[in-house]
Amino acid sequence: MEWKLFAHLRDAADGQSVTVDIEGDATVGTALNALLAARPALAEEVLDENEELADHIRVLVDGEDPFAAGDGLATAVDEETELALFPPVSGG
């Protein structure tokens, strides 16, 4: 499974995408844990002080927000699922 990363998250992960292995009944949460295990520097960018996904980080699952359109971190994923992480974005 591949995570696409944007903005400064690319720098923390040393690349614009990271492939992770998942098995069985995977969820967004287990895929996120696999990503953070593969690229530990991302943890300080995407987790809050309680080691939970920070409020300002956006996750997309096949282009949709799993917190609005699914079960959040419990949303089921498989090897074909497209995952993306976005930091806060502002414009001028």
Side-chain angles (χ1 to χ4, degrees):
M1 162 175 300
E2 185 175 71
W3 280 93
K4 295 187 185 299
L5 306 171
F6 295 87
H8 71 277
L9 298 181
R10 289 179 173 178
D11 297 333
D14 291 324
Q16 66 184 16
S17 65
V18 176
T19 300
V20 297
D21 292 324
I22 58 166
E23 297 180 15
D25 296 330
T27 64
V28 173
T30 57
L32 180 61
N33 288 340
L35 173 64
L36 297 179
R39 299 293 194 277
L42 278 173
E44 76 176 56
E45 301 293 335
V46 302
L47 300 180
D48 65 15
E49 63 276 353
N50 297 318
E51 307 259 331
E52 295 178 3
L53 186 64
D55 290 338
H56 64 274
I57 296 295
R58 294 293 163 246
V59 177
L60 292 183
V61 177
D62 291 330
E64 302 217 4
D65 181 345
F67 295 92
D71 295 323
L73 293 176
T75 301
V77 297
D78 60 34
E79 287 293 331
E80 302 301 316
T81 303
E82 182 179 283
L83 296 169
L85 273 183
F86 291 88
V89 178
S90 62

